[in-house]
Amino acid sequence: MIRVGLRWIGHSPGIGIPVLAEWDSCLSTILEDSDQFGQAVGVRLDEYRARTLVIVPAYNEGSRLGTVLEQLKRSYENVVVVDDGSSDETGIVARRAGAVLIRHLINRGQGASLQTGLEFGLLGPYEYFVTFDADGQHRVTDIDRLLMAAREKDVDVVLGSRFLERGAEVPALRMITLKSAVVFTRAVSGLDVTDAHNGLRLLTRKAAGSIELRHDRMAHASELIDQIRIHGLSYVEVPVRISYSEYSRGKGQSNLAALNILFDYLIGRWFR
Amino acid sequence: MTIFQLASLLILTLLLIVTIFQVVKGRLRPVSAFPWSVLWVAAAVGIAYPELSAEIARAIGIRRGADLVLYSSVIAAFIVSFIFYLRIRRVEEQITRLVRQIALAGPDTGKTLPTHRATGNDQA
């Protein structure tokens, strides 16, 4: 396979050479399937994938996790499941799917699970760390987008955003809460993010090494943004799609719980 | 002196003695014992001289001595709750670190999955 680098060359389906800012929309409109994408452009996507560790925090996800891992494993070999004190078959499912299993004896929260996953990953040879939800809300092809953005734009952190694409289907009340979270996060952390609480992110080794998540529960998302600013890490946002199934809708953060997260987060900032 | 006053003063004196005893025994640090001792003494004084709280209350613009005691107690309770909240957060953090240590000591740590191929060519 001839390496043609990361720029589109003339032979790809009628595109020509896009401006950097249009890169993301090209990715989304041309090809859904990443293998096809990789072949068409001759980019060594599989090489980058081999150096990536996908971290999946899971708490009582049961058999759903199996489906998610199965899809993940088709493209990404390095998957670690952080079992956050589950009482069901989550751990067994993870093992059976061939993922590495790290188990918290007691439930500590998603933030704690991510930090554990990162610390595990830093022990290994991986260059990219991707956080991925266990409930099927995320698409595996979006990980490819994050990876390519990291390579192309040479940033330390890539954040997925569900609001960058037209026609994102977000339930109304949830939209209000999320947008408020964004406004708040922007005001407090001074970073220009469009989606404050997206579980799909990529961290380079440098970023993973600098960041330390001390908020165990859901306030870790805002804490992560903070740390990006504090450590002066470069970042970029990439449009991703979140699927709100019946199941995940019921399970997601209640809008009232968001207030609790807010309180927790503020206390953490002022009293640590 | 009323029975209430007598009984309270007795109990408070006892508490003060116990507090000092704990410090002597090394079980309680002087820094921690101090605020509690102040509390016992203040309560004793307030009960022994009820007119005192009335005077202070009027001086700062509150109607009754009892109101003063009530307001102060409520504020103190809030402060103490907040201190405990912070302390619990710290304990939670410590628990998480413990759980993480145990988790990373598990059988799968250090396992590098097979497909990492070091290409030796990191220019891509």
Side-chain angles (χ1 to χ4, degrees):
Chain A
M1 191 196 295
I2 300 168
R3 235 178 93 194
V4 296
L6 294 170
R7 297 271 173 206
W8 292 81
I9 309 297
H11 65 263
S12 62
I15 289 306
I17 302 176
V19 170
L20 215 56
E22 290 168 356
W23 175 257
D24 291 322
S25 50
C26 287
L27 277 176
S28 62
T29 48
I30 307 293
L31 293 158
E32 279 297 301
D33 187 292
S34 298
D35 289 334
Q36 216 181 324
F37 166 62
Q39 274 165 29
V41 184
V43 175
R44 296 204 297 201
L45 187 59
D46 50 340
E47 281 239 347
Y48 310 145
R49 283 175 176 170
R51 292 194 245 160
T52 302
L53 175 69
V54 182
I55 302 170
V56 183
Y59 177 58
N60 286 340
E61 294 295 344
S63 41
R64 272 170 302 273
L65 181 62
T67 328
V68 172
L69 290 179
E70 195 196 332
Q71 285 171 348
L72 255 181
K73 279 292 227 175
R74 284 190 212 144
S75 320
Y76 287 87
E77 196 49 48
N78 308 320
V79 177
V80 58
V81 171
V82 182
D83 176 3
D84 198 11
S86 304
S87 46
D88 68 353
E89 71 273 23
T90 295
I92 302 172
V93 168
R95 274 262 165 67
R96 211 186 293 139
V100 175
L101 178 66
I102 304 285
R103 206 179 244 148
H104 280 170
L105 285 183
I106 320 169
N107 176 256
R108 301 312 298 162
Q110 200 182 59
S113 308
L114 286 186
Q115 180 64 25
T116 301
L118 287 175
E119 286 188 24
F120 163 80
L122 287 170
L123 296 172
Y126 314 103
E127 246 195 74
Y128 303 105
F129 303 93
V130 173
T131 62
F132 196 83
D133 281 359
D135 56 8
Q137 276 195 339
H138 292 152
R139 294 188 311 178
V140 179
T141 48
D142 282 338
I143 304 183
D144 295 328
R145 288 198 196 189
L146 298 184
L147 250 189
M148 298 306 279
R151 300 292 310 193
E152 176 70 14
K153 305 191 185 184
D154 197 24
V155 289
D156 302 314
V157 178
V158 183
L159 302 169
S161 169
R162 79 200 88 181
F163 299 124
L164 284 187
E165 221 166 40
R166 282 300 107 117
E169 295 155 22
V170 183
L173 188 56
R174 187 108 190 91
M175 174 74 94
I176 297 173
T177 314
L178 283 173
K179 286 290 191 178
S180 321
V182 168
V183 170
F184 169 74
T185 306
R186 276 197 196 176
V188 167
S189 70
L191 283 189
D192 211 1
V193 290
T194 58
D195 190 348
H197 271 249
N198 197 305
L200 190 53
R201 316 172 188 95
L202 180 145
L203 300 172
T204 54
R205 174 165 275 264
K206 171 187 171 194
S210 336
I211 285 175
E212 195 202 343
L213 294 177
R214 291 165 70 189
H215 275 91
D216 289 352
R217 307 256 161 214
M218 296 312 286
H220 74 272
S222 307
E223 190 192 13
L224 186 75
I225 310 282
D226 262 358
Q227 298 222 1
I228 291 177
R229 192 202 65 231
I230 291 173
H231 291 107
L233 300 172
S234 54
Y235 70 100
V236 81
E237 285 190 292
V238 165
V240 297
R241 204 167 295 163
I242 308 283
S243 17
Y244 290 94
S245 66
E246 237 359 273
Y247 163 70
S248 63
R249 209 180 285 229
K251 200 201 54 144
Q253 280 312 112
S254 88
N255 296 313
L256 280 184
L259 284 175
N260 198 2
I261 296 170
L262 172 59
F263 184 65
D264 245 358
Y265 165 73
L266 285 175
I267 297 291
R269 268 178 76 108
W270 297 331
F271 289 96
R272 273 280 167 65
Chain B
M1 197 175 279
T2 69
I3 297 190
F4 169 74
Q5 282 176 308
L6 199 61
S8 310
L9 287 178
L10 225 60
I11 293 175
L12 286 166
T13 314
L14 212 65
L15 280 168
L16 189 63
I17 293 176
V18 167
T19 306
I20 295 176
F21 186 59
Q22 293 293 319
V23 176
V24 164
K25 267 266 178 173
R27 288 208 209 113
L28 189 64
R29 285 182 350 205
V31 191
S32 318
F34 183 67
W36 292 110
S37 311
V38 167
L39 180 63
W40 309 143
V41 170
V45 166
I47 290 174
Y49 300 103
E51 321 85 44
L52 192 61
S53 63
E55 276 174 39
I56 301 177
R58 259 175 284 132
I60 61 177
I62 301 176
R63 246 193 336 141
R64 289 162 37 197
D67 286 352
L68 172 68
V69 172
L70 186 63
Y71 296 155
S72 316
S73 306
V74 166
I75 292 174
F78 277 137
I79 293 175
V80 169
S81 307
F82 186 61
I83 290 176
F84 275 123
Y85 168 68
L86 292 179
R87 196 170 289 179
I88 287 186
R89 280 175 61 100
R90 207 177 346 129
V91 171
E92 291 268 6
E93 215 180 301
Q94 291 172 331
I95 293 180
T96 296
R97 287 214 205 108
L98 248 179
V99 172
R100 183 169 296 141
Q101 273 290 89
I102 297 173
L104 290 176
D108 278 19
T109 303
K111 219 200 240 185
T112 305
L113 290 156
T115 64
H116 174 77
R117 306 171 232 125
T119 60
N121 177 15
D122 275 71
Q123 295 315 293

